[in-house]
């Protein structure tokens, strides 16, 4: 767990998002294409995973967005993941502008994960402070709205749909009374939603996602007797 395998979901999604940009330019209506995978993209996923492990073990690596330096770090890392995923024979500099909505989504989700929470007991958490929560949620909501508009302008069905579907989770967390369950849903579905829509186009991506998900559940269940990762939220 020192390798922070939960972060792999996000990094994998960013790599496949870059891959999706190129494939989407070849065929906007690509859907459930098992043959879209290649040895190169699989190698990139492995490379990004190895890099994530090495960076997670380094004490200087930012874990949350709490200052300008950490924000720039995640922008660079997200951009590199997109770039690696989109490298190929069909790559062109024109495709780089399509990175924007995916990168905005990535930063928005990191802002949500950067909201501090305090553990009350073995299974319950509460949000630590209201000002950081509101600031991060306002910033994340703004980024998602901009990303949605850009997705439509770029005629990218994945980027626009992912942002549109995720937006209500941020609005609920922002407008409704502060409760950890709203924050938990915004975190969970910030990763789940892009993964689902990417799988719709590239079903082979479901294999590493499910493998990691269920291995983590087995680990937490037999090691700590808890079900995690989970889509359940704290209602207490």
């Amino acid at each position: 767990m020192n390798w922070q395998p939960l972060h792999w979901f996000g990094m994998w999604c960013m790599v496949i998002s870059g891959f999706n940009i190129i494939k989407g330019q070849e065929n906007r209506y690509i859907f459930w294409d098992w043959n879209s995978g290649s040895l190169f993209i699989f190698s990139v996923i492995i490379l990004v995973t190895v890099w994530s492990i090495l960076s997670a073990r380094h004490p200087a690596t930012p874990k949350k967005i709490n200052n300008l330096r950490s924000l720039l770090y995640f922008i660079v890392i997200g951009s590199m993941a997109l770039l690696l995923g989109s490298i190929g024979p069909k790559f062109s500099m024109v495709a780089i502008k399509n990175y924007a909505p995916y990168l905005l989504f990535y930063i928005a989700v990191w802002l949500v994960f950067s909201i501090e929470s305090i553990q009350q007991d073995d299974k319950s958490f509460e949000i630590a402070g209201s000002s950081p929560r509101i600031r991060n949620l306002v910033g994340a909501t703004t980024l998602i709205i901009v990303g949605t508009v850009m997705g439509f302008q770029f005629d990218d069905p994945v980027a626009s749909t992912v942002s549109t579907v995720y937006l209500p989770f941020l609005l609920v967390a922002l407008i409704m009374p502060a409760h950890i369950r709203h924050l938990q849903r915004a975190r969970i579905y910030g990763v789940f939603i892009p993964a689902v829509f990417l799988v719709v186009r590239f079903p082979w991506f479901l294999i590493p996602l499910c493998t990691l998900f269920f291995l983590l559940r087995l680990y937490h269940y037999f090691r700590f007797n808890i079900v995690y990762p989970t889509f359940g939220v704290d209602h207490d």
Side-chain angles (χ1 to χ4, degrees):
M1 294 307 296
N2 290 334
W3 294 352
Q4 298 182 3
L6 285 171
H7 292 179
W8 301 354
F9 289 113
M11 292 302 295
W12 290 353
C13 284
M14 288 299 284
V15 170
I16 303 302
S17 294
F19 185 69
N20 171 69
I21 291 173
I22 300 301
K23 291 296 182 180
Q25 290 183 340
E26 295 177 12
N27 176 16
R28 182 190 182 279
Y29 302 99
I30 182 174
F31 174 80
W32 204 253
D33 185 0
W34 281 94
N35 297 321
S36 58
S38 65
L39 181 60
F40 177 77
I41 193 63
F42 300 148
S43 300
V44 169
I45 292 176
I46 295 172
L47 175 65
V48 168
T49 304
V50 173
W51 183 91
S52 297
I53 293 172
L54 296 176
S55 63
R57 298 172 64 87
H58 197 286
T61 303
K63 303 302 186 292
K64 296 181 179 180
I65 297 178
N66 50 22
N67 52 42
L68 181 59
R69 177 179 172 274
S70 59
L71 175 60
L72 291 175
Y73 170 82
F74 286 112
I75 290 176
V76 171
I77 294 305
S79 300
M80 291 301 297
L82 286 168
L83 179 62
L84 287 172
S86 60
I87 291 176
K90 301 293 184 179
F91 175 79
S92 67
M93 295 302 293
V94 178
I96 293 181
K97 69 178 178 61
N98 293 70
Y99 291 179
Y102 294 98
L103 191 59
L104 292 177
F105 188 95
Y106 177 72
I107 299 301
V109 174
W110 263 113
L111 285 173
V112 174
F113 273 92
S114 298
I115 299 174
E116 296 285 350
S117 59
I118 302 175
Q119 187 169 0
Q120 294 179 308
D121 50 48
D122 292 340
K123 296 183 179 180
S124 298
F125 293 83
E126 65 177 6
I127 300 174
S130 60
S131 297
R133 163 187 163 269
I134 294 174
R135 180 192 63 219
N136 284 25
L137 288 175
V138 168
T141 302
T142 302
L143 293 178
I144 290 297
I145 292 174
V146 174
T148 301
V149 174
M150 296 182 73
F152 278 106
Q153 288 181 337
F154 296 158
D155 194 29
D156 188 327
V158 173
S160 57
T161 307
V162 164
S163 297
T164 303
V165 174
Y166 183 55
L167 182 59
F169 292 95
L170 293 178
L171 293 176
V172 168
L174 179 62
I175 298 173
M176 298 295 288
H179 196 289
I180 191 64
R181 66 175 179 269
H182 302 315
L183 180 61
Q184 289 172 334
R185 290 193 184 100
R187 288 175 172 177
I188 293 168
Y189 290 99
V191 179
F192 177 74
I193 291 171
V196 167
F197 282 96
L198 289 169
V199 165
V200 168
R201 281 192 159 182
F202 314 113
W204 48 263
F205 186 41
L206 189 62
I207 297 174
L209 290 175
C210 287
T211 300
L212 178 59
F213 180 80
F214 286 108
L215 283 177
L216 287 174
R217 283 174 71 95
L218 288 171
Y219 170 82
H220 283 90
Y221 182 77
F222 287 107
R223 180 74 184 274
F224 304 109
N225 197 30
I226 59 174
V227 179
Y228 185 82
T230 177
F231 292 97
V233 297
D234 186 2
H235 289 278
D236 297 328

